[in-house]
Amino acid sequence: MFREGDTIADQYFVEKVHMGAMGIVYIALDTFSGKRFAIKSVRDDLLQDAAFKQRFEHEARIWIQLDRHENIVQAMLYREVEGLPLLFLEYVEGLTLADLLAMHGRLSPAQVLNFAEQFARGMGYVHGKEVVSGSAGGTQVVQRGVIHRDIKPANIMLTRDGTLRITDFGLAKVFGQSHGTTGVLGTPLYLAPEQIRDPRSVDERADVFSFGVVLYEMLTGNLPFQGETMGEVIYRILESEPRNPRDLVPEVPEGLGQIVLECLKKDPDERPPSFAKLSTRLAEVPVPEDDLTVRCPSCGYVRSDGQPVCPLCAGERGAALRPSLSGATVPQGRVAVLLVALVAGVFPLSLLGFPLLELPTLNAHTVPGLLAGLANLILAAYVYAKNPRAAANLLFALCG
C-alpha cells in the first residue's frame, strides 16, 4: 500500500488516499505529464485472495475496453507495481450523486430529468459496446454489451460543469457470461429482484431496475423499498410495490413518475427493455416549470431549494443564480433595469438618513420616500425574477 507523499513507479506522486471497503483509490499526479489520475487498487489484506484479484483484473479488462464516452469515467491502463495491481482511471473533479443527495435530500424534477437523460445515454453506450470476453481455439470471442450490476448514487460522479459520469465497473459482466458465483453481488438497497434470486441470470434489465431506484431517490429523497433490517428491505424488493413518487412530490411530471414505476417492475419483461428506449421516453417528458426554479449560469444545475450556492460548481452566489421559468438567464437589458431600479429604490431611503435594517419614525416627511423606495425595490425584484413570490423573497432579503 502506498501513502500520501509516496511516488508510484518513480512517476506518480500520491496526493490523497481514499480507503474503501475492499479497495483503495490513490489520487496521484503524473510528474511527467502534469496530469492527475485516480488509481484504483486492492487492499493489502485482500492481495492473497486469488479470486478477488482475478475479479479485479476482470474489472480492469472490461472497463478499459469501454474506451471513452462523455458519461463514463474512462479506464486507461492496467499494470502491477511492487506486487500491487493498479487500474489507472481519468481523474474526475467533482462529487458523487450520493454526496449531493446527502446535502439536499432530493433534487428538483428538472435536474433529475437532466441527470436521467445523461445516465441513460451512458448506460445505452455500455450496454451496446462490443468487448472481448475471452478466447476459444486461439480466437478472441467478441460479445456486445456490458452489465454494470452495481448502479447506485455512490457510483455516479458529477463534474463541476454538470456532466454525469458513471464509474466503478467492479461487478460488471459481459452479456450471457457467467462467473459461477452464487452469492448476491451489488448493494442490496439498489438490487433488482433477479439479482437476489439468481445473480447468474441477470441481464441489462437489472441495471434498468437499479436506475429506477436511483431515480426514485433523486425525486423524493427516499428509497422505494425501506425497512428496519436488511432482511425486511430485501423482502420488500421481492414482494412490495413502491408508492408513486408523485404521491410524495406532486410536482414530479406524470410521465417521469410513470417511467420510474415501470423501471421498478418485479418482472424484467415489464420494464423498459433498454436504455435506448428509456432515452427516447425521457426526451418526451416536458421539462418541469417552477416559479422558484433557479439555474446556475456556470454549470446549468437546476434547483428550487433557495440555497445561494450551487452545489456542483460551488462558486455562484446571490444574483448569479437567476430565477427563470424556462432555464434561460435574464437578458442583459433586464439586468440593467434591475440595477437602475435598485439604485432608485435605495437612493431615496439613504437621503432620508435612516439605514435599511431599522424602521424609521413614520411622519409626513419620511413616508413618501419610504414608499417610493420600497416600490422600486419590488419593481426591481419583479423585473429580475418575473414572478411576485421571488420579488417578495428578494425584498425581504434586501430589507433585512
Side-chain angles (χ1 to χ4, degrees):
M1 174 180 171
F2 297 100
R3 293 175 172 80
E4 292 182 9
D6 289 347
T7 301
I8 301 174
D10 297 323
Q11 183 173 345
Y12 304 97
F13 179 77
V14 178
E15 297 178 325
K16 295 180 182 178
V17 179
H18 298 286
M19 296 289 295
M22 295 183 290
I24 305 171
V25 175
Y26 304 104
I27 306 302
L29 178 68
D30 180 358
T31 56
F32 176 77
S33 68
K35 291 182 60 176
R36 280 185 175 80
F37 292 90
I39 305 175
K40 187 174 181 179
S41 188
V42 178
R43 276 182 16 193
D44 289 350
D45 56 322
L46 293 172
L47 278 175
Q48 305 308 314
D49 187 334
F52 188 86
K53 187 176 179 181
Q54 183 179 19
R55 197 175 87 186
F56 185 84
E57 293 173 355
H58 169 78
E59 170 190 9
R61 188 173 295 109
I62 289 182
W63 199 343
I64 289 172
Q65 290 184 77
L66 290 177
D67 297 326
R68 183 167 183 81
H69 185 275
E70 180 185 17
N71 301 117
I72 302 293
V73 174
Q74 184 180 12
M76 301 174 174
L77 173 70
Y78 175 83
R79 62 183 293 190
E80 290 194 12
V81 175
E82 299 178 18
L84 283 176
L86 303 175
L87 177 59
F88 285 69
L89 310 171
E90 67 170 318
Y91 174 66
V92 177
E93 185 177 1
L95 70 166
T96 68
L97 178 58
D99 296 330
L100 185 62
L101 290 172
M103 287 189 291
H104 292 274
R106 65 180 178 88
L107 311 183
S108 70
Q111 186 57 55
V112 173
L113 187 59
N114 175 272
F115 283 159
E117 291 175 330
Q118 292 191 63
F119 187 92
R121 286 197 298 270
M123 285 308 300
Y125 169 82
V126 170
H127 283 179
K129 178 68 175 176
E130 288 189 347
V131 298
V132 176
S133 61
S135 61
T139 304
Q140 289 184 331
V141 177
V142 178
Q143 292 182 264
R144 182 182 296 275
V146 174
I147 312 167
H148 191 288
R149 297 198 297 178
D150 196 21
I151 291 170
K152 59 184 178 182
N155 288 340
I156 299 172
M157 291 291 301
L158 307 172
T159 69
R160 298 299 184 193
D161 65 0
T163 303
L164 179 146
R165 310 287 289 278
I166 304 164
T167 188
D168 202 346
F169 289 81
L171 298 182
K173 77 164 191 170
V174 179
F175 284 8
Q177 198 177 58
S178 174
H179 299 299
T181 181
T182 57
V184 174
L185 295 176
T187 305
L189 295 172
Y190 301 88
L191 289 179
E194 61 269 27
Q195 282 180 277
I196 299 170
R197 293 192 176 100
D198 184 8
R200 294 171 297 184
S201 68
V202 301
D203 59 21
E204 67 268 38
R205 294 170 298 180
D207 285 345
V208 171
F209 183 94
S210 299
F211 172 62
V213 178
V214 173
L215 275 181
Y216 196 102
E217 187 175 7
M218 285 195 290
L219 287 169
T220 69
N222 297 303
L223 290 164
F225 308 102
Q226 301 183 46
E228 295 183 2
T229 66
M230 191 54 64
E232 187 176 349
V233 171
I234 290 175
Y235 172 81
R236 293 186 184 280
I237 291 173
L238 295 174
E239 303 295 339
S240 299
E241 296 299 326
R243 292 182 62 185
N244 190 319
R246 285 170 54 82
D247 293 343
L248 302 174
V249 183
E251 58 264 34
V252 172
E254 184 177 357
L256 184 55
Q258 185 60 37
I259 289 173
V260 173
L261 293 177
E262 289 178 19
C263 289
L264 294 175
K265 291 292 186 181
K266 310 296 184 190
D267 185 349
D269 290 335
E270 296 181 7
R271 298 175 203 152
S274 68
F275 278 97
K277 295 288 187 183
L278 273 171
S279 291
T280 301
R281 293 275 305 279
L282 290 166
E284 295 171 350
V285 177
V287 177
E289 293 187 350
D290 185 331
D291 285 354
L292 298 182
T293 292
V294 292
R295 182 182 296 269
C296 175
S298 294
C299 69
Y301 181 80
V302 182
R303 71 188 192 280
S304 54
D305 58 10
Q307 295 299 315
V309 180
C310 174
L312 292 191
C313 62
E316 298 296 334
R317 294 177 177 271
L321 296 172
R322 299 166 182 171
S324 168
L325 295 180
S326 63
T329 56
V330 180
Q332 290 184 354
R334 203 159 280 168
V335 173
V337 173
L338 165 67
L339 294 176
V340 172
L342 282 175
V343 172
V346 174
F347 184 67
L349 298 180
S350 62
L351 285 179
L352 294 175
F354 51 81
L356 290 177
L357 296 179
E358 297 179 7
L359 288 176
T361 301
L362 299 180
N363 53 48
H365 175 67
T366 61
V367 167
L370 176 62
L371 292 178
L374 292 180
N376 281 322
L377 287 175
I378 293 173
L379 173 62
Y382 185 81
V383 169
Y384 186 64
K386 296 198 301 184
N387 68 78
R389 292 177 65 185
N393 288 339
L394 182 57
L395 173 64
F396 292 145
L398 288 173
C399 294

